């Protein structure tokens, strides 16, 4: 009887894992939701207009890592091998604004052969856990 329960549990676990792998798909199939939103000044300015969607995703991932795990002053690099564009996000120290945890970040982006462009922004952790640019 114990053997039947063990086999049943293993089969149920395998079915659950198989369902998860099918629902996740390949990373390149669809855009992943961003845990950090890039600052509007970055996206709407000359830097953002030259960035591809893949650049934006890579920059947003680097920003999230910098905000969430980064050490103050330590760059978190990103690179889009397809476009050749690259950059880094350097987090500043954390601080409170009312009840929100916030950090300044400096984005530096290199587009093709142009000199790197930098932009400083502030993001704050929202109550649900995501990071959003401060208004």
């Amino acid at each position: 009887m114990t053997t039947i329960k063990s086999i049943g549990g293993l089969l149920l676990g395998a079915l659950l894992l198989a369902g998860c792998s099918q629902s996740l798909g390949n990373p390149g199939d669809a855009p992943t939701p961003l845990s950090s939103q890039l600052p509007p000044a970055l996206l709407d300015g000359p830097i953002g207009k030259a960035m591809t969607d893949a650049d934006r995703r890579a920059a947003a991932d680097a920003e999230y890592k910098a905000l969430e795990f980064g050490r103050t002053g330590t760059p978190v690099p990103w690179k889009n091998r397809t476009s050749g564009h690259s950059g880094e996000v350097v987090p500043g120290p954390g601080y409170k604004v009312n009840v929100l945890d916030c950090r300044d970040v400096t984005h530096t982006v290199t587009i093709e052969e142009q000199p790197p462009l930098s932009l400083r922004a502030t993001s704050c952790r929202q109550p649900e856990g995501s990071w959003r640019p401060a208004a």
Side-chain angles (χ1 to χ4, degrees):
M1 189 66 167
T2 303
T3 304
I4 293 173
K5 286 183 183 178
S6 296
I7 292 171
L10 288 172
L11 288 174
L12 179 61
L15 287 173
L16 289 172
L17 287 174
C20 288
S21 67
Q22 288 178 354
S23 65
L24 291 175
N26 292 328
D29 288 348
T32 57
L34 301 177
S35 299
S36 174
Q37 296 177 2
L38 292 172
L42 175 69
L43 295 177
D44 298 336
I47 300 172
K49 290 181 174 142
M51 293 173 75
T52 66
D53 287 342
D55 295 339
R56 290 184 190 96
R57 280 192 299 275
D61 287 345
E63 180 179 274
Y64 174 74
K65 289 174 188 171
L67 290 166
E68 192 70 25
F69 309 111
R71 294 179 60 198
T72 299
T74 303
V76 177
W78 63 267
K79 180 166 181 127
N80 178 350
R81 294 190 203 313
T82 305
S83 68
H85 302 165
S86 63
E88 65 182 26
V89 182
V90 180
Y95 57 92
K96 289 264 191 203
V97 173
N98 297 323
V99 297
L100 300 177
D101 292 323
C102 299
R103 288 184 93 170
D104 294 333
V105 292
T106 301
H107 279 270
T108 301
V109 180
T110 302
I111 304 292
E112 296 163 4
E113 301 298 320
Q114 300 176 15
L117 299 170
S118 293
L119 171 82
R120 186 171 174 217
T122 300
S123 288
C124 297
R125 186 190 304 276
Q126 301 304 297
E128 82 281 354
S130 68
W131 289 91
R132 294 221 175 98

